[in-house]
Amino acid sequence: MNEIRPVRAKSGTNQEGASAHNRRVMIDALRLNGHLSRADLARATALTKQAVSNIIEELENDGLVASLAAVRKGRGQPSTPYRLVPEGAFAIGLQIDRHVTRTIAVDLIGAVLIRKEVNLPGGGPEEGVDAILALIDETRRELVTTAPEFNDRLVGLGVAMPGPFGIDSATDDPWMMAAWQSFPLLERLSEGTGLDVRLQNDAAAAATAEKMVGAAHGIDHAVCVYLGYGLGAGLILNGELYRGGHGNAGEIGMILSRARVGADDARAPIEHRISIASLCKGLDIDPADPDLYRRIDAAAGSKDRRVTDWIAGAAHELRATIQLLETIFDPQTIILCGGMPPVLANLLIDALHPLLPSIAERRQRSTPRLQLGFTDPWAVAVGAAAEPISRTFDPRFSAILKSRVGGTL
Amino acid sequence: MNEIRPVRAKSGTNQEGASAHNRRVMIDALRLNGHLSRADLARATALTKQAVSNIIEELENDGLVASLAAVRKGRGQPSTPYRLVPEGAFAIGLQIDRHVTRTIAVDLIGAVLIRKEVNLPGGGPEEGVDAILALIDETRRELVTTAPEFNDRLVGLGVAMPGPFGIDSATDDPWMMAAWQSFPLLERLSEGTGLDVRLQNDAAAAATAEKMVGAAHGIDHAVCVYLGYGLGAGLILNGELYRGGHGNAGEIGMILSRARVGADDARAPIEHRISIASLCKGLDIDPADPDLYRRIDAAAGSKDRRVTDWIAGAAHELRATIQLLETIFDPQTIILCGGMPPVLANLLIDALHPLLPSIAERRQRSTPRLQLGFTDPWAVAVGAAAEPISRTFDPRFSAILKSRVGGTL
DNA sequence: GAGTTAAGTCAAGACAATTGACTTATTAAG
DNA sequence: CTTAATAAGTCAATTGTCTTGACTTAACTC
């Protein structure tokens, strides 16, 4: 403690870390493959039968896995497959959006257990946070009351709200939620609930949802393009969500468009053409309109000229963005998701084809270059709730390491 | 073996994996901090003094670390700092470029030990590979002869060549090295040398070099923009080089430009304006000119109008690209590197400022948004050689896991 | 010179995976 | 029907690596 010079180093690990990893690997394998016997797991994880047996027994005692009926499949003793027990854990997701606030609870396999939606009272975050805490508490109580098997099974609270976070320049973008950005939300929620709380932006949450229960399930390299009020991307790289140096990776809405606005060189963010906000502008709807979803749905269904114009513009811009993302990330697939009516999503997907040539054009593709993901407005909340589940149960480098105590010399 | 259904799962780990990780963590900590005592290491890695002591003793026996003179720094027993022993390991890097082939050897700390350059005999890869194997062997022998302490210390061979790899459409880009792309180079090199061989594209190799001995040293999130014959980016994400789903991540040269070529909507790859190849075109030099570097240097130094034009065009395009990369990756810094004369690099860096506004504009930056990295033409070869060192000694998730034996049911 | 602080070692203990032999349950072959 | 082959899974002993807590050593401070 004589010098202030910080020592930079990664953490080491020990048997506990290894064991924790192995438990996560078992859960991950069951999540990906549905059900596997102990022998299957031993082969798949490169562990010995005995090690797997011990771990599975432990997980069974913890109520995280359960056996199914034995299966005869040829010579040899029949195998006993194991599956995840959905009731083994649950997490709460909180989505704070511009006009609504939602809570949701999902179980170990990502299934939705309960959901609630409120309009926050006017005023700022200071007033809102109490309402949020009440909503979370209500969600928690209600679930445990109706399904007591979930008692003591809550692993965390995930929060999703529009980013970017921690940016100096309070941009004058009317769709940014400046007040919430500067509010110490996580601290207040953590204090108020006693839970481990983590924040993601909308796109990251949508990607987390796609990864656990959607099109990105089991895919290690995917870019989820999230089209909401704004535009973002959730980056799944090496099987984990990538956050960037300051938690703002994937804010692709702020990429400057290729199209010039006027005669000068000023270019607008692509979000100004690819977003529900821009569609609202075109349709002359207030984005705060509580009936927004239905109105867009109607307009899209009726082939309103203003919708087709928007689609043409958005598709033009988005095609280039997809080519860009493919070029930069070389992902296995790109997933288009967002809280929009399926009619609109399908029109957009159609308008995006044919895609621009890119390195993603390869003969032996196992997944399409572009797929449609969730369009359910609740997907972001699901992703928010899926994050604590993933953090608690998925294999990841950081879960192996010992938690740092000191870190400075 | 009754079903073909593959079981997808991550590998488990055991004490061996944990131990291997801890050894790597020690080496990484010493690499980052220069020298640390056992007590420092224990604090920094969250391991116990005893565990660190054992590991360091082992590493010392293996000739990878060595102690320095004891340091008195206040009360208590003086500490004995340890440092990496450069002679503890070396790796060979092979750079196959359009007009030259280079080999290099670097030691454990990334210092260059020996380097060689040849022009491959005409003909295709089939003729070339024998010359390459001879060159590698010569490099290896010469080093071990002049510095016998390196005997038996070779950890691998890293190869760098222009990407992208494994793309169907043999593009008609005259700068692609189609013949080499389809040649089973790695297999042949692996057979011929008996070494573990890995391939990177130029930009990835440059980033690997920056990470081990350059501007990205100790930085976990950085994008290295590599300006060579073509344009690419080496992505350092979470402290590791990101390769993408098919090993082609970061091929940003193929991003389509914002500028239209003609009146129609056709757009050229930005590489057509940001690359040495494009500069050659502008200067009317054959990129194969053996005197290329000097001629560009002269032109840049003399403020040749054609050079300033190129710089203006490249800077315009590159500014947008930098804004794009910052927006997508939210890195701690962007490093511009490439095999160009420093005069040119500095002119380009100057022309890039002021940078476009982006989320990277934050008050408490510890690193500049854009820095100049290596411009040495040998940097790619260094990066190629640094890869086996990094793979062997740096902490990484995959190093903890047991190697898969089966994997299918 | 006594007390304090910090680095580092010693020896025993704990933990989780490994090893190799064994049991059990089924199909295949003669 | 019997025997062999095959595969799942268990038992008990072993191993390797980190942890624990007491101890030693070497400096500084008062």
Side-chain angles (χ1 to χ4, degrees):
Chain A
M1 297 300 169
N2 299 309
E3 306 182 19
I4 320 290
R5 179 172 67 92
V7 175
R8 300 156 43 80
K10 288 206 163 61
S11 282
T13 188
N14 53 17
Q15 292 121 311
E16 244 174 272
S19 169
H21 170 71
N22 288 345
R23 279 198 297 271
R24 285 168 183 254
V25 165
M26 297 298 150
I27 291 171
D28 185 53
L30 292 180
R31 197 193 293 288
L32 278 176
N33 299 281
H35 49 83
L36 296 172
S37 68
R38 299 181 184 204
D40 291 339
L41 285 165
R43 279 187 294 267
T45 62
L47 291 171
T48 58
K49 286 186 295 183
Q50 188 57 61
V52 170
S53 239
N54 295 339
I55 294 166
I56 288 293
E57 191 184 346
E58 207 179 286
L59 291 175
E60 195 168 14
N61 289 337
D62 289 349
L64 294 171
V65 309
S67 58
L68 298 165
V71 176
R72 285 182 282 197
K73 48 182 174 189
R75 279 188 196 181
Q77 179 172 336
S79 64
T80 308
Y82 284 79
R83 63 174 173 90
L84 289 184
V85 175
E87 298 78 21
F90 79 104
I92 294 180
L94 167 69
Q95 179 190 13
I96 301 176
D97 208 341
R98 286 138 185 100
H99 309 296
V100 295
T101 296
R102 301 184 171 114
T103 57
I104 205 165
V106 308
D107 64 21
L108 181 55
I109 61 171
V112 175
L113 300 167
I114 186 173
R115 50 195 192 180
K116 294 185 171 293
E117 183 176 304
V118 297
N119 292 301
L120 285 191
E126 193 59 58
E127 289 75 26
V129 77
D130 290 325
I132 288 173
L133 282 169
L135 191 65
I136 292 170
D137 196 52
E138 197 184 321
T139 306
R140 187 176 182 170
R141 282 172 193 279
E142 203 169 306
L143 174 66
V144 176
T145 308
T146 56
E149 65 271 26
F150 281 108
N151 207 1
D152 289 327
R153 296 281 181 177
L154 179 52
V155 296
L157 171 66
V159 181
M161 56 185 280
F165 310 123
I167 299 304
D168 281 354
S169 48
T171 78
D172 52 6
D173 189 324
W175 306 310
M176 299 255 298
M177 303 166 67
W180 283 100
Q181 299 286 351
S182 53
F183 183 74
L185 178 65
L186 298 194
E187 291 80 349
R188 292 292 300 276
L189 290 178
S190 185
E191 283 166 24
T193 61
L195 295 171
D196 199 6
V197 183
R198 252 8 114 80
L199 177 66
Q200 302 177 96
N201 64 39
D202 289 343
T208 305
E210 294 289 352
K211 181 157 166 48
M212 180 164 292
V213 289
H217 186 67
I219 292 183
D220 280 339
H221 305 274
V223 176
C224 296
V225 173
Y226 178 78
L227 203 162
Y229 287 87
L231 179 72
L235 310 171
I236 295 168
L237 312 181
N238 291 323
E240 290 184 28
L241 195 86
Y242 181 68
R243 298 173 183 282
H246 312 91
N248 285 322
E251 285 286 353
I252 59 170
M254 303 169 97
I255 292 175
L256 299 182
S257 168
R258 291 173 181 182
R260 300 186 184 201
V261 174
D264 65 337
D265 202 40
R267 297 170 198 275
I270 57 174
E271 192 167 64
H272 284 195
R273 291 182 75 190
I274 323 174
S275 64
I276 298 300
S278 68
L279 176 60
C280 287
K281 220 176 213 171
L283 286 173
D284 230 340
I285 310 178
D286 177 5
D289 188 331
D291 219 18
L292 180 65
Y293 190 88
R294 205 198 46 73
R295 290 187 65 178
I296 291 177
D297 197 20
S302 70
K303 303 213 161 37
D304 184 324
R305 173 70 191 278
R306 296 168 302 176
V307 172
T308 54
D309 280 358
W310 177 84
I311 285 181
H316 178 80
E317 203 75 77
L318 200 48
R319 238 191 323 269
T321 306
I322 288 168
Q323 192 264 357
L324 180 79
L325 293 170
E326 287 178 334
T327 306
I328 291 183
F329 289 102
D330 187 21
Q332 291 163 278
T333 190
I334 290 190
I335 298 165
L336 178 65
C337 50
M340 55 191 154
V343 186
L344 185 67
N346 284 315
L347 285 174
L348 186 57
I349 287 272
D350 288 346
L352 283 168
H353 287 91
L355 297 171
L356 295 175
S358 85
I359 56 167
E361 271 180 333
R362 43 180 71 231
R363 243 165 267 136
Q364 358 71 302
R365 289 197 68 90
S366 54
T367 45
R369 279 173 68 183
L370 177 67
Q371 337 184 22
L372 185 57
F374 292 119
T375 52
D376 182 349
W378 284 88
V380 170
V382 170
E387 200 278 338
I389 298 283
S390 167
R391 179 154 36 89
T392 310
F393 297 109
D394 287 351
R396 49 176 63 185
F397 198 11
S398 59
I400 295 186
L401 311 183
K402 296 185 66 173
S403 57
R404 196 76 43 88
V405 182
T408 54
L409 183 60
Chain B
M1 298 300 168
N2 299 309
E3 307 184 19
I4 319 291
R5 178 172 66 94
V7 175
R8 300 156 44 78
K10 287 206 164 59
S11 281
T13 189
N14 53 16
Q15 294 121 307
E16 245 175 90
S19 170
H21 170 72
N22 288 345
R23 279 198 297 271
R24 284 168 182 255
V25 164
M26 298 297 151
I27 291 170
D28 185 53
L30 293 180
R31 196 193 294 287
L32 278 176
N33 299 281
H35 48 84
L36 295 171
S37 68
R38 298 180 184 205
D40 292 339
L41 284 165
R43 278 188 295 267
T45 61
L47 291 170
T48 59
K49 287 185 294 181
Q50 188 56 61
V52 170
S53 240
N54 296 339
I55 294 166
I56 287 293
E57 192 184 344
E58 207 179 286
L59 292 175
E60 196 169 13
N61 288 337
D62 290 348
L64 295 171
V65 309
S67 58
L68 298 166
V71 176
R72 286 181 284 196
K73 49 182 174 190
R75 280 187 195 181
Q77 178 173 337
S79 63
T80 307
Y82 284 79
R83 64 176 172 88
L84 289 184
V85 175
E87 298 78 22
F90 79 102
I92 294 180
L94 167 69
Q95 180 190 11
I96 300 176
D97 209 341
R98 286 138 186 100
H99 309 296
V100 294
T101 296
R102 301 184 172 113
T103 57
I104 204 167
V106 308
D107 64 21
L108 181 55
I109 62 171
V112 174
L113 300 168
I114 187 173
R115 49 194 193 182
K116 296 188 169 291
E117 184 176 304
V118 297
N119 292 299
L120 285 191
E126 194 58 59
E127 289 75 26
V129 76
D130 290 324
I132 289 174
L133 282 169
L135 191 65
I136 291 170
D137 195 53
E138 196 185 322
T139 307
R140 188 176 182 170
R141 282 172 193 279
E142 202 169 306
L143 175 66
V144 174
T145 309
T146 57
E149 64 272 25
F150 281 108
N151 207 359
D152 289 328
R153 294 282 180 177
L154 178 52
V155 296
L157 172 67
V159 181
M161 56 186 279
F165 310 123
I167 299 303
D168 279 354
S169 48
T171 78
D172 52 4
D173 189 324
W175 306 310
M176 299 255 301
M177 302 165 68
W180 283 99
Q181 299 286 353
S182 53
F183 184 74
L185 178 66
L186 299 194
E187 290 80 349
R188 292 292 299 277
L189 290 179
S190 185
E191 281 166 24
T193 62
L195 295 171
D196 199 7
V197 184
R198 254 4 119 78
L199 177 66
Q200 304 177 92
N201 63 40
D202 289 343
T208 304
E210 294 289 352
K211 181 155 166 51
M212 180 164 291
V213 290
H217 187 66
I219 292 183
D220 280 339
H221 305 273
V223 175
C224 296
V225 174
Y226 178 78
L227 202 163
Y229 287 86
L231 179 72
L235 310 172
I236 294 168
L237 312 181
N238 291 322
E240 291 184 29
L241 195 86
Y242 181 68
R243 297 174 183 280
H246 312 91
N248 285 322
E251 285 285 354
I252 59 171
M254 302 171 97
I255 292 175
L256 299 183
S257 168
R258 290 171 181 184
R260 299 185 183 201
V261 174
D264 65 335
D265 203 41
R267 298 168 198 277
I270 56 174
E271 193 167 63
H272 283 194
R273 291 182 75 191
I274 324 175
S275 64
I276 299 300
S278 68
L279 175 59
C280 287
K281 220 177 215 172
L283 286 174
D284 230 339
I285 310 178
D286 177 6
D289 189 331
D291 220 18
L292 180 65
Y293 191 87
R294 204 198 46 72
R295 291 186 64 178
I296 291 177
D297 196 20
S302 69
K303 301 212 161 37
D304 185 323
R305 172 69 193 277
R306 295 169 302 178
V307 172
T308 54
D309 280 356
W310 177 83
I311 284 181
H316 177 80
E317 203 75 78
L318 200 47
R319 241 194 319 273
T321 306
I322 288 168
Q323 192 265 355
L324 180 79
L325 293 171
E326 287 178 334
T327 305
I328 290 182
F329 288 102
D330 187 22
Q332 290 162 280
T333 190
I334 290 190
I335 298 166
L336 179 66
C337 49
M340 55 190 153
V343 186
L344 185 67
N346 284 314
L347 285 174
L348 187 57
I349 287 271
D350 288 346
L352 284 169
H353 288 90
L355 297 170
L356 295 174
S358 86
I359 56 167
E361 268 180 336
R362 41 181 70 228
R363 244 164 267 137
Q364 0 70 300
R365 289 197 68 90
S366 54
T367 45
R369 279 174 66 184
L370 178 67
Q371 334 184 26
L372 184 58
F374 293 118
T375 52
D376 182 348
W378 283 87
V380 169
V382 170
E387 200 278 338
I389 298 284
S390 167
R391 180 154 36 88
T392 310
F393 296 109
D394 287 352
R396 49 176 63 186
F397 197 9
S398 58
I400 296 187
L401 310 182
K402 297 184 66 174
S403 58
R404 196 76 44 87
V405 182
T408 53
L409 183 61

